[in-house]
Structure formats: C-alpha cells, structure tokens
Amino acid sequence: MYMKEVTVNNQVGLHARPATFFIQKANEFKSSIWVEKDERRVNAKSLLGVLSLGVVKGTTINLIADGLDEKEAVDALVELFNSNFDE
C-alpha cells in the first residue's frame, strides 16, 4: 500500500471536469485506488464516489493505492493535482 497527502489548489476542487480527468487517470492503473477525506474513503475510479466527497479548493486529501503499480498511480494523480488540472 502506498499513500500521499495532497492539497487541492485548483479553483473548483474536484468538481465535474477535474473529477473526470482524475478518474480517467486513475483508470489507467491496475491498482485499487482510493481518495480519503476526513474519515471517508471512496473508490478513485468512481465519479459518483469522488464527487460525493465534496472536495473544494484548499482541501487536503489522501490518495491511497494498493497493487502492482501503486506508487506510479499515486504519483501520477499527485502530479495531476500539482498541475491544477491544466486550468
């Protein structure tokens, strides 16, 4: 299992368009991937799950992966947040 904490800095947080990009990136990996906010953990490959967290700008979340490509998966998703989803 591999985990990193990331702070969401893009304007709309993980709303419709950025969430879609996030899920598409997560689905490129074989590992199981979760997003954790406070005490809630959802499947990072589920649009409804990710949107249900209500992640807004300034929120700190944990990205957790478990599987063969877990480190690559988390690092790629962190990079997506660091790029502010190219906004």
Side-chain angles (χ1 to χ4, degrees):
M1 188 173 298
Y2 185 74
M3 179 177 84
K4 275 194 178 176
E5 190 175 82
V6 65
T7 301
V8 180
N9 290 314
N10 63 308
Q11 280 304 113
V12 296
L14 265 181
H15 200 268
R17 191 176 80 77
T20 301
F21 290 145
F22 176 80
I23 290 153
Q24 287 171 343
K25 180 60 76 177
N27 276 301
E28 293 176 11
F29 299 95
K30 295 194 183 309
S31 294
S32 296
I33 307 169
W34 300 276
V35 181
E36 191 174 68
K37 176 186 165 209
D38 301 324
E39 297 300 313
R40 250 182 103 213
R41 183 184 286 191
V42 300
N43 183 347
K45 297 178 181 182
S46 163
L47 182 60
L48 189 57
V50 170
L51 290 175
S52 74
L53 289 177
V55 177
V56 296
K57 183 177 180 177
T59 303
T60 299
I61 59 173
N62 290 315
L63 300 175
I64 305 158
D66 189 25
L68 296 173
D69 54 2
E70 61 192 26
K71 185 176 184 330
E72 294 85 358
V74 170
D75 290 344
L77 293 170
V78 167
E79 182 57 38
L80 192 60
F81 280 101
N82 289 341
S83 75
N84 289 328
F85 298 89
D86 295 325
E87 287 184 342

